[in-house]
Amino acid sequence: LSEASRKRAAGVFRRCGVLVMKDVVSEASVDAFRTALMKELEPLLESRARVRSWLLHAIKNRVALDALWEDATARLPDELIFNRASSYRERNDARIDMLLPFAEPYSNVELTANPFVLPVLRSLLGSRAVLKSINAVVALNRSHGIQDQHWHRDTGLLFADDDDQHISDVHDRQRGVHLPPYAINMFVALRDVGASDGPTEFTLGSHQWSETWVRNLFLLLSIEARSMYCWTQAEDE
């Protein structure tokens, strides 16, 4: 990555809070990741289907959940999704977030220290930045119960307006004090994601808007496989 490209990419991220870098991961790395992920996900989805079936049965027949849990026929305590609760969760119905092991193919250096992306991240986070975890986010289709996700930020603002410190305009876009990001989410698209797939939407620049929400100013982020996109956790999505 040239110095000019690195500065331009970092500048776009600081202004918009979002950055897309196209075709920076090889097809082989993406295929290996996706194949391993689906192999790991398949038994979890089978377990999920069984649990949902028992829950529907309990609702229909007005069975208490504690009784269902202790039912020897249902055997819910043995279900994989409960035994993998530390690494498997659903952000909301049918939107799965899996914590993955730091091992191949997930830890492939092309993904975790990409030569095109890493210089930009270091420009934004500093040279001592570390990778917190490797996760996979999988959105199932409508038949699995998925719904549109609500607008949200991944985390709150580090510093609220503070009149006692005489910096009530700390988040003002022009006059405010804008610190470097303290965390950045980096996603790799494992397949093409178009408008009909329900891609992530961002309100560009909203990381500088304090608690202001403008939901009609957004970017619908369609993205091609093998691309990476990053955003600050304070960005509205």
Side-chain angles (χ1 to χ4, degrees):
L1 187 69
S2 69
E3 182 68 8
S5 295
R6 180 189 65 79
K7 289 182 177 180
R8 180 168 176 248
V12 168
F13 186 91
R14 291 189 182 103
R15 290 193 305 275
C16 299
V18 180
L19 176 67
V20 178
M21 303 185 73
K22 298 180 64 175
D23 300 327
V24 295
V25 183
S26 69
E27 186 174 348
S29 293
V30 169
D31 286 346
F33 191 111
R34 184 173 55 235
T35 299
L37 175 63
M38 296 312 297
K39 183 178 180 180
E40 189 165 354
L41 186 60
E42 184 176 359
L44 286 163
L45 293 180
E46 292 173 353
S47 176
R48 178 184 184 273
R50 289 192 297 270
V51 170
R52 288 173 66 88
S53 177
W54 277 110
L55 287 173
L56 290 173
H57 168 80
I59 293 171
K60 182 178 179 180
N61 295 280
R62 299 186 177 183
V63 177
L65 292 181
D66 55 351
L68 177 62
W69 182 258
E70 295 172 359
D71 189 323
T73 304
R75 299 180 60 184
L76 292 186
D78 296 332
E79 284 293 350
L80 186 60
I81 61 170
F82 296 127
N83 288 285
R84 290 280 302 275
S86 61
S87 59
Y88 173 98
R89 67 187 180 101
E90 295 195 27
R91 293 172 176 260
N92 44 40
D93 205 12
R95 187 171 281 101
I96 297 168
D97 187 343
M98 290 179 58
L99 176 65
L100 300 174
F102 201 90
E104 290 285 351
Y106 308 126
S107 62
N108 184 330
V109 69
E110 193 177 4
L111 303 171
T112 58
N114 187 280
F116 297 102
V117 179
L118 189 58
V120 180
L121 294 178
R122 284 178 171 164
S123 295
L124 298 164
L125 294 170
S127 60
R128 297 169 63 185
V130 297
L131 177 62
K132 178 181 179 290
S133 64
I134 303 174
N135 291 58
V137 176
V138 180
L140 305 179
N141 58 36
R142 297 286 183 186
S143 66
H144 289 83
I146 197 168
Q147 301 293 326
D148 293 340
Q149 195 174 24
H150 63 280
W151 277 89
H152 66 280
R153 281 175 170 162
D154 282 347
T155 190
L157 300 171
L158 280 180
F159 304 102
D161 289 340
D162 189 340
D163 292 330
D164 291 333
Q165 295 294 325
H166 307 291
I167 51 173
S168 58
D169 61 350
V170 63
H171 293 293
D172 184 271
R173 187 164 187 172
Q174 300 299 326
R175 303 185 305 277
V177 180
H178 299 295
L179 301 177
Y182 67 91
I184 293 176
N185 294 320
M186 184 179 73
F187 272 65
V188 180
L190 300 180
R191 59 180 289 270
D192 293 347
V193 180
S196 62
D197 298 308
T200 304
E201 301 174 16
F202 295 96
T203 302
L204 299 184
S206 58
H207 60 302
Q208 299 179 340
W209 292 359
S210 184
E211 299 299 338
T212 302
W213 293 74
V214 184
R215 299 183 181 180
N216 61 341
L217 299 175
F218 63 86
L219 168 69
L220 187 67
L221 189 61
S222 298
I223 190 169
E224 299 173 359
R226 304 192 301 111
S227 300
M228 284 189 175
Y229 61 107
C230 320
W231 70 88
T232 172
Q233 292 194 329
E235 190 78 1
D236 296 342
E237 56 167 304

